[in-house]
Amino acid sequence: MTVPLSGPDRLTLLLGSETYWTARAMREQGSRFYRALGEALEAADLGNRRLIYAAWTDAIWDFYERGLRLEAEEGGSGEG
């Protein structure tokens, strides 16, 4: 059984993760707002990614998990 991660733990994991799959899930599966946020996330430098992740941790976490599923479906052959 896995223990759900808290907000600070999620933020730490998001900051250390590959951005591509999360941003892709946001662009492909999100509303217009989240599609735009996914574009911003992919274009952001580390400081701005930290701001995006910190402001929207719970919402982005959902797309992070969706991105993990996309990556698994495609065999992890995504961009870096």
Side-chain angles (χ1 to χ4, degrees), residues 51-63:
L51 291 172
I52 292 169
Y53 286 147
W56 299 95
T57 306
D58 291 339
I60 291 178
W61 185 258
D62 177 56
F63 288 103

Side-chain angles (χ1 to χ4, degrees), residues 36-75:
L37 192 56
E39 292 289 333
L41 180 63
E42 195 163 47
D45 61 13
L46 180 59
N48 285 320
R49 271 198 318 269
R50 178 182 298 275
L51 291 172
I52 292 169
Y53 286 147
W56 299 95
T57 306
D58 291 339
I60 291 178
W61 185 258
D62 177 56
F63 288 103
Y64 168 76
E65 290 179 326
R66 294 180 195 195
L68 291 176
R69 289 190 293 274
L70 283 173
E71 182 179 18
E73 288 171 7
E74 294 192 16

Side-chain angles (χ1 to χ4, degrees), residues 1-26:
M1 181 167 124
T2 60
V3 176
L5 295 176
S6 67
D9 294 334
R10 285 181 174 188
L11 181 58
T12 300
L13 186 61
L14 287 171
L15 287 168
S17 69
E18 182 178 334
T19 305
Y20 173 79
W21 293 103
T22 302
R24 180 172 163 185
M26 293 174 86

